[in-house]
Amino acid sequence: MAAEGRRPAAPPRRPAAAAKPALPGIGGATADKLAKLGIRRRFDLVLHLPLRYDDETRLCPLGEALPGAELLVQGEVIDCDIKYRPRRQLVCRISDGSGELTLRFLNFYGSQVKTLAVGNHVRVYGVLRIGHFGPEMVHPRYRVMDPGAAVAQALTPVYPTTAGLGQDSLRRMIARALADEPLGETLPQALLDGLGLPGFESAVRLLHNPPPDVAQAALQGRVHPAWRRMKFDELLAQQLSMRVHYRRRRAAGAPVLAVRGQLVDALLKRLPFRLTRAQNTVLAQIRDDLGQAHPMQRLLQGDVGSGKTVVAALAALQCVENGYQAAVMAPTEILAEQHYRKFADWLEPLGIRVAWLSGGIKNSVKKQELINVSGGEAQVVVGTHALFEDAVVFKRLGLAIIDEQHRFGVHQRLALRQKGTQSTKGLQPHQLMMSATPIPRTLAMSYYADLDVSVIDELPPGRTPVATRLVSEERRDEVIQRVRDACIAGRQAYWVCPLIEESEKLQLQTALDTHAHLQQTFPELRVGLVHGRMKVAEKQAVMASFKAGDVQLLVATTVIEVGVDVPNASLMVIEHAERMGLSQLHQLRGRVGRGAAESTCVLLYQAPLSPLAKERLKVIYEQTDGFEIARQDLNLRGPGELLGARQSGVPMLRFADLAVDLDLLDAARDAAEHLLREQPDSAKAHLARWLGGRNEYLKV
């Protein structure tokens, strides 16, 4: 009986049901290693496909083994000992009656000496070579086994792995997943028949366990029908994901920014140039988007100097005419300030107040600008990452313009959108993303399939082509003389260096040393210096002097890659051009040729050149079309590097190769639209199989 005045004891709580592990039967340490490979659930093991295959289906007699081949051999250990010359190593000899083979292990455990004891029979797989004492294999794969044991019935898969996770462990886990996971079809048979693709289960089982008679060249080259099925499925999942996100965004609400025209017409009349045909085309697309009740998600791309900024300014005016604010964000202080000055020059005479926000402005100035932004007095706000700060509050943000959008991460772009949503009672701001790095068609089709893309495909009249010269470091004196001649003739020049401080490993010329040296070399010239570690005010002062013509030669790091516009600069020298990427070289080269004078970009390189460096310099020397350069850059580097950090927020392709699988990409685009429209359950099942509902692939 309960004591008087006390409550009866509460019944014991049932423990909460434990969440079903994503990788049942696999311990935490192993799960962490698998996560490094992108394996977070059981089905990911099914989709973890081999890098290559070893052929352990045929035993080769030692007497017939040829050097240079990967072979499976077998023999009895006839000698095993630790040798100490020329270095400590385990040396073992085996024989099968037809010949002998030496096994050499430079790194080994004491237990291996016992395993490879004289009299044991071992089966060995490795590359045969001829050493000082005859045929040998160095660090082969081996196992002790009965001499009559059967050979493998399928090629042995070799999987991508990470430290501490062996091939045997991976094979066991993948075999269990193949036995336990449902491998049924997600796609309509008519679609597969039309593309000549095999069923999913037969394809995936063949790739994990290929029969000995499979066409090995097709398998290794990833052109076998089973590989094509996997590539198509991967591309289709990416396309479905992108189209789902595209539809989701279009279902959201956005401010309707109607075409009114007064301010736009006023700016067009004030400009000292006329828009090109391409600029007018993309401007019409943007103006139509802004007038819709769903948020614009448009990528505006164009080559260096094609005139994207003025199109962005005209879009901002359409926003302002409807009573909303526009934000313009750029990744660097120099580029953001360039935008601020242009927007202020164009818009302030029309009565538009342009605010400037960056990490380098004085607190008192920043405080006043924040008040102007939150109160709505500033109708256009230009800045760097400072626009993400909590202190920045918009009154009515209707349009976000993001320049060099690939340099911003998913969360940063999302933060700017959320600021707009908060200021407009749930309406999302329109987004115009700009890139001066042209995107190859295959990359746009694949990684930007959830965006509308506009292209400015012509340059304004009057832009002079830039001559590109490849010059060895040994001819440095000739380059210096050319710089002196250009500056004395009244022109200006850039001298670009890739590093700020000395690196013994790379032995690159630094901006600081180069500046000091060129000051001594050119006492008659004023030589300026700009690099990323200078204070904002210092950089601004130097750039202003260069633009005004007071500085004849500007030594700079790649902070001048985008946004710098000095028409009188007609010569650029780029140090160690062999160490820079194609996109960066093309962007830098675009800083000259902005006036009427003949312009030259000199690429100084240090011999000897690697094959990749030779290929890059050949492309930049032969090509001036940014889109063709980008296409060749994609072939050289692949999409992951070209897109920048994986901040892009899109599923990176593991199997499909955009350089060779364009037909599958085209088919996947068409199939994605059809499935979402006609067979949504099939689309949902396919997405669940390949992406597992992971939201990190959401683009913003």
Side-chain angles (χ1 to χ4, degrees), residues 49 146 264 318 354 412-413 452 551 565 664 666 694:
L49 299 179
D146 185 85
V264 170
Q318 183 169 332
V354 182
Q412 293 172 321
R413 299 198 296 264
D452 296 307
V551 168
D565 187 3
L664 292 177
D666 284 328
R694 282 175 274 181

Side-chain angles (χ1 to χ4, degrees), residues 74 206-207 223 292 301 342 365 371 405 418 441 487 565 630 641 653 665 698:
Q74 184 171 290
L206 182 142
L207 291 176
V223 294
Q292 305 298 321
Q301 58 169 325
K342 282 192 173 181
V365 176
I371 293 171
Q405 55 86 31
Q418 287 172 336
R441 174 175 169 256
C487 292
D565 187 3
E641 198 178 338
L653 296 170
L665 177 56
L698 179 66

